[in-house]
Amino acid sequence: MQNFTVERLSFDTLTELPHAWQAQDYKALLLKTGYDNPEELGPDELKEMCLMGLTDLEPAEAAQLVLEHLFADELTPGQIENLAHQMLTEKLWEENPNLGQHEGFFKATQLLYTAYNGKFPRAEAVRFQVQLTADSPEFFQVFDTTPEAPLLRLLAQGMPDNTLLKRLFHEQLDGTSFPEAASIIWQLQPSKPNDTSLVFDVVSSAYWLDDFKYADTYQATTQADTVVEEH
């Protein structure tokens, strides 16, 4: 067990994930909507034309194209068709049983919400900076391999007992195996490292970590996941 002082430095609510959609994504979607030469569009035009191309379609049809782009290798055409209809009313980035697909569903819903001016559910994510301080530089080795799991163990200790993360994952938080952690923290960026402190920039769903906005500075312990080597 490693002991840290945990301090929340900032906390914001996002409706779009940073860097979620790149130029190549917009070009691929434009081709799917029947646009002939997306390569000729400037960077500023790509998103606007992509949104216009999507709104030329029925909402469920547009959702299907977006899901095909994001999940072509993971979902069957039948699954994509069903999920495209569900997206109109359901928060799939929270409700879908496959946690590994939550970030993709968030990205899809966020784009479609913008395109259709609110016909899809409003997606909310959170972004915050948290500073971890320890007595020894060696303590930070706990974040060397799979940092999401030990970080979530620290964050959970700053949130209420009834928070969803604790209710659904109390065994993983207490233990040394938390494979779902990398699907709960969507973006993680370390910064400002020195011998005694480290800052993490965290992006996740409000579903999991919104309660961290109430966290004050506190003491917490954590442990790394135990990696089982396959022979």
Side-chain angles (χ1 to χ4, degrees):
M1 284 274 188
Q2 312 290 11
N3 190 62
F4 291 89
T5 301
V6 182
E7 181 184 0
R8 177 181 52 77
L9 302 178
S10 65
F11 195 96
D12 296 297
T13 301
L14 307 176
T15 54
E16 294 186 16
L17 298 184
H19 318 297
W21 292 97
Q22 303 290 331
Q24 64 266 26
D25 296 304
Y26 293 132
K27 288 174 185 175
L29 286 173
L30 278 165
L31 288 171
K32 282 180 176 290
T33 62
Y35 193 93
D36 288 336
N37 297 304
E39 296 293 339
E40 296 174 1
L41 294 171
D44 296 339
E45 297 174 293
L46 274 170
K47 180 178 180 180
E48 188 179 341
M49 291 303 293
C50 179
L51 294 175
M52 285 174 61
L54 290 172
T55 52
D56 284 342
L57 306 170
E58 288 297 314
E61 189 182 355
Q64 204 167 323
L65 288 189
V66 175
L67 292 181
E68 281 173 6
H69 172 66
L70 291 170
F71 295 117
D73 299 330
E74 297 178 57
L75 299 171
T76 67
Q79 288 173 317
I80 287 173
E81 189 177 350
N82 289 338
L83 290 163
H85 287 280
Q86 289 178 35
M87 279 184 71
L88 281 157
T89 55
E90 295 179 30
K91 296 181 176 182
L92 292 182
W93 69 93
E94 297 177 357
E95 297 165 16
N96 191 275
N98 187 334
L99 258 67
Q101 294 171 354
H102 280 197
E103 184 179 359
F105 285 125
F106 186 100
K107 287 166 57 175
T109 309
Q110 162 228 305
L111 186 73
L112 292 159
Y113 178 88
T114 304
Y116 284 91
N117 203 18
K119 281 188 180 174
F120 287 81
R122 187 172 187 270
E124 279 198 355
V126 296
R127 181 178 191 170
F128 56 86
Q129 283 196 327
V130 58
Q131 180 171 281
L132 311 177
T133 307
D135 293 335
S136 167
E138 295 173 2
F139 283 18
F140 295 101
Q141 291 174 7
V142 74
F143 303 109
D144 282 354
T145 48
T146 53
E148 293 88 356
L151 179 59
L152 275 179
R153 293 184 177 109
L154 290 173
L155 299 178
Q157 291 166 68
M159 296 196 286
D161 287 342
N162 66 348
T163 198
L164 186 67
L165 185 70
K166 289 186 178 180
R167 285 189 282 122
L168 292 188
F169 293 108
H170 59 94
E171 289 181 8
Q172 291 89 332
L173 290 166
D174 292 342
T176 55
S177 178
F178 196 173
E180 299 90 349
S183 298
I184 291 172
I185 292 182
W186 293 342
Q187 297 180 19
L188 184 62
Q189 191 67 42
S191 65
K192 305 176 186 172
N194 60 46
D195 283 352
T196 59
S197 70
L198 174 65
V199 173
F200 278 114
D201 192 308
V202 181
V203 176
S204 176
S205 171
Y207 186 63
W208 296 116
L209 294 182
D210 192 52
D211 281 345
F212 191 68
K213 67 186 174 193
Y214 304 117
D216 291 318
T217 302
Y218 58 95
Q219 301 291 317
T221 57
T222 191
Q223 65 276 1
D225 269 10
T226 303
V227 179
V228 179
E229 293 182 12
E230 295 181 4
H231 298 284

